[in-house]
Amino acid sequence: MTPLSATRVWRNCNLATMQAGETPYGIVEDAALVVEGDRIVWTGPRSALPRAYASASHEGLAGRWITPGLIDCHTHLVYAGQRAGEFEQRQQGASYADIARAGGGILSTVRATRAADEETLLQSTLGRLAALRREGVTTVEIKSGYGLDLQTELRMLRVARSAAATSGLHIETTFLGAHTLPENYRDRADDYIRFVCEDVLPVVAHERLADAVDAFCETIGFDLQQTERVLAAARKYDLPVKLHAEQLSNMGGAALAARYGALSVDHLEYLDPAGVSAIAESGSVAVLLPGAFYFLRETQLPPVAALRERGVPIAVASDCNPGSSPFVSLLLMLNMGCVLFGLTPEEALAGVTRNAARALGLDAEVGTLTVGKRADFVVWNVDHPAQLAAQFGPNPCYRVVARGNTLI
Ligand code: NIG
Ligand code: FE
C-alpha cells in the first residue's frame, strides 16, 4: 500500500463512470480523474482539466480504462472446509435439497466452521479476499450463518470485521443466523428462531458486529412466518434487512422483505409477477447470483425481463460459498450474468458497481466515479468495458485503488 498523498491526477485514460442516465457506461473518453486524499475531486475530459491540477503528481495510463471499484454484495466467504464430495454426489443424481435434508449442505460447513479457530478462519478469508481484490473488487459483503450458535456466529462476524483492516477492502457484514436449522434444534424451528432473535441478535447488535440482517426463506430454510420474525427483530435494532428469497421455490419471501424495506432480495429464480411488483415498489435491489444457478445446474431463470421493465435495479454477486457457488471471482459472475441470465454487459457491470452499492446502502459513497465519492477505482487493460464481461482470464486488472490507496 502506498500512503495517501495530497492530490493525484490520472490521465490518458478512458472512464466508465457507471453513472446512470448518461452515455452507456457513463463513458468519458480521453479523460482525467483527480483524487485528493481518499476522495474523487474531479472527473472529465482531459482537455477540460483545471489548470490548478497542473502541478499535482500525474500518472499517464496509456489509454487504459477506469471503472469504479467492483462490489461483491453477497458472499459467504468466511468458512472452513470444502464440499467437493457433494458436487460428486450431485453429479451422480442427488439434489442440493436432498443433500441438505440428509444433514450435509450448509450443516456440513457448520461443523467445519465451528471446529476452526479465529486465526484459521481469518487466514482463509484473507486468501479469498486477495483473489477478489486482484480482480478489482474494493467492497465485499460477508455473511455469517455457518455457526448457528452464539460463539461461532460472533466469531465469523469478528473475522469479517478484522479482515477489513488487513485487506484494505471495505467490508460490510451481515448476520445470517437464520441460515438453516442446526441439528440440536431438529423439529424445533420456532425455538431456533427465538434463539436467533432473542439470544444472538442482541449480542451481535450490541457489539456492532453486523451492518444488516439476512435469512434463508426456503423449504430447506425457514418459512414466511419464521422469516418475518427475524426481519421484525432486525428492525428493533435498526438494522437494515436483505433476504435469500425464491431460490429453489416460490415462498413469497421477496414480497415480505419488500414490506420491510429490504436493501436487497437475493437469488430470485422463482420470483413471480407479484414479487416483481412488490420489489419494484419498495425500491429494493434484485441481487442475481449466477454462480449458484450454474453450479447447482438450475433451470428456472430469474425474471430479468420483468425486473427490467419495472425498473428494478439489478445487482450481480458471487454468493461465494463452499456449497452452491464455490467461485472466488466477480469477473466470472459478470460473464455468467450475461450468458446465463441474458444481462447486457453494461447491466452486468452496473450490477457489480452502482446497483451493488445500493444493495449495501452505500450508494452515496461508492459505486460510480463521481466527485465527492470515495476514491475506489480500477484501471483495466481493456479496449472497452464490455470486455470485462465478454471474456475471462487472463486477468485484465492493472491497478486497484481503494480510499485513495494503491492496493495493486
Ligand atoms: O446463497 N441459499 C443459501 N445459502 C447459500 C448456500 C450456502 C451453502 O450451501 O453453504 C446460497 O446459495
Ligand atoms: Fe447466499
Short mmCIF file of all heavy atoms in Angstrom, two decimals, residues 74 76 83 86 96 105-106 109 146 176 179 216 244 247 267 289 292 296 319 321-325, ligand 1:
data_model
loop_
_atom_site.label_atom_id
_atom_site.label_comp_id
_atom_site.label_asym_id
_atom_site.label_seq_id
_atom_site.Cartn_x
_atom_site.Cartn_y
_atom_site.Cartn_z
N HIS A 74 -22.84 -9.93 -2.11
CA HIS A 74 -23.45 -11.10 -1.46
C HIS A 74 -22.41 -12.22 -1.46
O HIS A 74 -22.17 -12.85 -2.49
CB HIS A 74 -24.72 -11.52 -2.22
CG HIS A 74 -25.41 -12.75 -1.70
ND1 HIS A 74 -26.80 -12.85 -1.64
CD2 HIS A 74 -24.94 -13.92 -1.23
CE1 HIS A 74 -27.13 -14.03 -1.15
NE2 HIS A 74 -26.02 -14.72 -0.89
N HIS A 76 -20.51 -15.47 1.21
CA HIS A 76 -20.43 -16.23 2.47
C HIS A 76 -18.98 -16.66 2.60
O HIS A 76 -18.69 -17.84 2.72
CB HIS A 76 -21.30 -17.48 2.42
CG HIS A 76 -22.74 -17.26 2.03
ND1 HIS A 76 -23.77 -17.40 2.94
CD2 HIS A 76 -23.33 -16.95 0.85
CE1 HIS A 76 -24.94 -17.20 2.33
NE2 HIS A 76 -24.70 -16.92 1.05
N ARG A 83 -16.64 -28.70 0.03
CA ARG A 83 -17.73 -29.67 -0.19
C ARG A 83 -17.69 -30.28 -1.58
O ARG A 83 -18.73 -30.49 -2.21
CB ARG A 83 -19.08 -28.99 0.11
CG ARG A 83 -19.10 -28.41 1.50
CD ARG A 83 -20.40 -28.23 2.19
NE ARG A 83 -21.58 -27.93 1.45
CZ ARG A 83 -22.28 -26.78 1.55
NH1 ARG A 83 -21.88 -25.81 2.36
NH2 ARG A 83 -23.39 -26.62 0.87
N GLU A 86 -19.88 -33.26 -2.17
CA GLU A 86 -21.30 -33.04 -2.51
C GLU A 86 -21.47 -32.80 -4.01
O GLU A 86 -22.50 -33.15 -4.59
CB GLU A 86 -21.85 -31.85 -1.72
CG GLU A 86 -21.93 -32.13 -0.24
CD GLU A 86 -22.52 -30.98 0.55
OE1 GLU A 86 -22.94 -29.97 -0.05
OE2 GLU A 86 -22.56 -31.10 1.78
N TYR A 96 -29.37 -30.66 -4.44
CA TYR A 96 -28.86 -29.81 -3.36
C TYR A 96 -29.75 -29.98 -2.13
O TYR A 96 -29.26 -30.13 -1.00
CB TYR A 96 -28.87 -28.37 -3.87
CG TYR A 96 -28.37 -27.32 -2.89
CD1 TYR A 96 -27.03 -27.23 -2.53
CD2 TYR A 96 -29.25 -26.38 -2.37
CE1 TYR A 96 -26.58 -26.25 -1.66
CE2 TYR A 96 -28.81 -25.38 -1.50
CZ TYR A 96 -27.47 -25.33 -1.15
OH TYR A 96 -27.04 -24.34 -0.29
N GLY A 105 -24.77 -30.35 3.14
CA GLY A 105 -25.04 -28.97 2.73
C GLY A 105 -24.51 -27.97 3.75
O GLY A 105 -23.40 -28.12 4.26
N ILE A 106 -25.33 -26.97 4.04
CA ILE A 106 -24.89 -25.90 4.96
C ILE A 106 -24.39 -26.50 6.27
O ILE A 106 -23.37 -26.08 6.82
CB ILE A 106 -26.06 -24.92 5.20
CG1 ILE A 106 -26.41 -24.19 3.89
CG2 ILE A 106 -25.71 -23.91 6.30
CD1 ILE A 106 -27.70 -23.37 3.93
N THR A 109 -20.78 -27.49 6.39
CA THR A 109 -19.87 -26.35 6.58
C THR A 109 -19.97 -25.80 8.01
O THR A 109 -18.98 -25.29 8.56
CB THR A 109 -20.17 -25.26 5.53
OG1 THR A 109 -19.99 -25.84 4.23
CG2 THR A 109 -19.23 -24.07 5.66
N TYR A 146 -22.64 -19.85 9.23
CA TYR A 146 -22.07 -21.20 9.33
C TYR A 146 -21.68 -21.50 10.78
O TYR A 146 -20.83 -22.34 11.04
CB TYR A 146 -20.85 -21.35 8.42
CG TYR A 146 -21.18 -21.35 6.94
CD1 TYR A 146 -20.52 -20.49 6.06
CD2 TYR A 146 -22.14 -22.23 6.42
CE1 TYR A 146 -20.79 -20.50 4.70
CE2 TYR A 146 -22.42 -22.23 5.05
CZ TYR A 146 -21.75 -21.37 4.21
OH TYR A 146 -22.02 -21.38 2.87
N LEU A 176 -26.52 -13.71 9.44
CA LEU A 176 -27.40 -14.69 8.80
C LEU A 176 -27.59 -15.89 9.75
O LEU A 176 -27.39 -17.04 9.38
CB LEU A 176 -26.79 -15.10 7.44
CG LEU A 176 -27.46 -16.18 6.59
CD1 LEU A 176 -28.91 -15.84 6.24
CD2 LEU A 176 -26.67 -16.44 5.31
N HIS A 179 -29.89 -19.21 8.78
CA HIS A 179 -29.42 -19.76 7.51
C HIS A 179 -30.01 -21.15 7.31
O HIS A 179 -30.51 -21.49 6.25
CB HIS A 179 -27.89 -19.79 7.51
CG HIS A 179 -27.27 -19.97 6.16
ND1 HIS A 179 -25.93 -20.19 5.98
CD2 HIS A 179 -27.79 -19.94 4.91
CE1 HIS A 179 -25.67 -20.30 4.68
NE2 HIS A 179 -26.78 -20.16 4.01
N PHE A 216 -32.63 -17.19 5.27
CA PHE A 216 -32.83 -18.07 4.11
C PHE A 216 -34.28 -18.54 4.15
O PHE A 216 -34.64 -19.42 4.93
CB PHE A 216 -31.85 -19.24 4.21
CG PHE A 216 -31.85 -20.17 3.02
CD1 PHE A 216 -32.22 -19.77 1.75
CD2 PHE A 216 -31.42 -21.49 3.17
CE1 PHE A 216 -32.19 -20.63 0.65
CE2 PHE A 216 -31.38 -22.37 2.10
CZ PHE A 216 -31.77 -21.94 0.83
N HIS A 244 -32.45 -14.05 1.36
CA HIS A 244 -32.32 -15.11 0.35
C HIS A 244 -33.75 -15.55 0.03
O HIS A 244 -34.41 -16.18 0.87
CB HIS A 244 -31.58 -16.32 0.94
CG HIS A 244 -30.10 -16.16 1.03
ND1 HIS A 244 -29.47 -15.33 1.93
CD2 HIS A 244 -29.11 -16.76 0.32
CE1 HIS A 244 -28.16 -15.43 1.77
NE2 HIS A 244 -27.91 -16.29 0.80
N GLN A 247 -35.16 -18.90 -4.20
CA GLN A 247 -34.03 -19.54 -4.90
C GLN A 247 -34.44 -20.87 -5.51
O GLN A 247 -34.15 -21.17 -6.67
CB GLN A 247 -32.84 -19.77 -3.95
CG GLN A 247 -31.66 -20.46 -4.63
CD GLN A 247 -30.53 -20.86 -3.70
OE1 GLN A 247 -30.67 -20.80 -2.47
NE2 GLN A 247 -29.41 -21.27 -4.25
N HIS A 267 -31.12 -13.95 -5.11
CA HIS A 267 -31.36 -15.20 -5.84
C HIS A 267 -32.51 -15.00 -6.83
O HIS A 267 -32.27 -14.81 -7.99
CB HIS A 267 -31.67 -16.41 -4.93
CG HIS A 267 -30.47 -16.99 -4.26
ND1 HIS A 267 -29.51 -17.68 -4.94
CD2 HIS A 267 -30.09 -16.97 -2.96
CE1 HIS A 267 -28.57 -18.07 -4.09
NE2 HIS A 267 -28.89 -17.65 -2.88
N LEU A 289 -27.55 -14.17 -8.61
CA LEU A 289 -26.38 -14.95 -8.22
C LEU A 289 -26.17 -16.08 -9.22
O LEU A 289 -26.53 -17.25 -8.97
CB LEU A 289 -26.60 -15.48 -6.78
CG LEU A 289 -26.90 -14.36 -5.78
CD1 LEU A 289 -27.42 -14.92 -4.46
CD2 LEU A 289 -25.68 -13.49 -5.53
N ALA A 292 -24.48 -19.68 -8.32
CA ALA A 292 -25.26 -20.75 -7.67
C ALA A 292 -26.18 -21.42 -8.69
O ALA A 292 -26.35 -22.64 -8.69
CB ALA A 292 -26.06 -20.18 -6.50
N LEU A 296 -25.44 -25.36 -9.33
CA LEU A 296 -26.49 -26.31 -8.95
C LEU A 296 -27.26 -26.80 -10.18
O LEU A 296 -28.23 -27.54 -10.06
CB LEU A 296 -27.46 -25.68 -7.93
CG LEU A 296 -26.81 -25.24 -6.61
CD1 LEU A 296 -27.85 -24.65 -5.66
CD2 LEU A 296 -26.05 -26.38 -5.93
N ASP A 319 -21.95 -14.79 -4.44
CA ASP A 319 -22.53 -15.75 -3.49
C ASP A 319 -21.44 -16.70 -2.98
O ASP A 319 -21.73 -17.80 -2.50
CB ASP A 319 -23.67 -16.55 -4.15
CG ASP A 319 -24.57 -17.27 -3.14
OD1 ASP A 319 -24.50 -16.95 -1.94
OD2 ASP A 319 -25.33 -18.17 -3.56
N ASN A 321 -19.37 -19.31 -1.65
CA ASN A 321 -19.57 -20.22 -0.51
C ASN A 321 -19.15 -21.61 -0.97
O ASN A 321 -19.07 -21.88 -2.17
CB ASN A 321 -21.04 -20.18 -0.04
CG ASN A 321 -21.98 -20.93 -0.97
OD1 ASN A 321 -21.99 -22.15 -0.99
ND2 ASN A 321 -22.74 -20.19 -1.77
N PRO A 322 -18.88 -22.51 -0.02
CA PRO A 322 -18.31 -23.80 -0.43
C PRO A 322 -19.32 -24.77 -1.05
O PRO A 322 -18.92 -25.78 -1.63
CB PRO A 322 -17.76 -24.37 0.88
CG PRO A 322 -18.60 -23.74 1.94
CD PRO A 322 -18.94 -22.37 1.44
N GLY A 323 -20.63 -24.47 -0.93
CA GLY A 323 -21.61 -25.45 -1.36
C GLY A 323 -22.27 -25.15 -2.69
O GLY A 323 -22.27 -25.97 -3.61
N SER A 324 -22.85 -23.93 -2.81
CA SER A 324 -23.65 -23.67 -4.00
C SER A 324 -22.95 -22.77 -5.01
O SER A 324 -23.42 -22.64 -6.14
CB SER A 324 -24.99 -23.04 -3.61
OG SER A 324 -24.81 -21.73 -3.13
N SER A 325 -21.84 -22.14 -4.60
CA SER A 325 -21.14 -21.25 -5.54
C SER A 325 -19.68 -21.09 -5.12
O SER A 325 -19.27 -20.04 -4.64
CB SER A 325 -21.85 -19.88 -5.58
OG SER A 325 -21.30 -19.07 -6.61
O1 NIG B 1 -26.79 -18.40 -1.01
N1 NIG B 1 -29.00 -20.39 -0.12
C1 NIG B 1 -28.47 -20.41 0.98
N2 NIG B 1 -27.21 -20.12 1.24
C2 NIG B 1 -26.16 -20.19 0.32
C3 NIG B 1 -25.65 -21.56 0.19
C4 NIG B 1 -24.87 -21.93 1.34
C5 NIG B 1 -24.28 -23.30 1.26
O2 NIG B 1 -24.74 -24.19 0.52
O3 NIG B 1 -23.33 -23.46 2.02
C6 NIG B 1 -26.54 -19.59 -1.01
O4 NIG B 1 -26.59 -20.26 -2.05
#
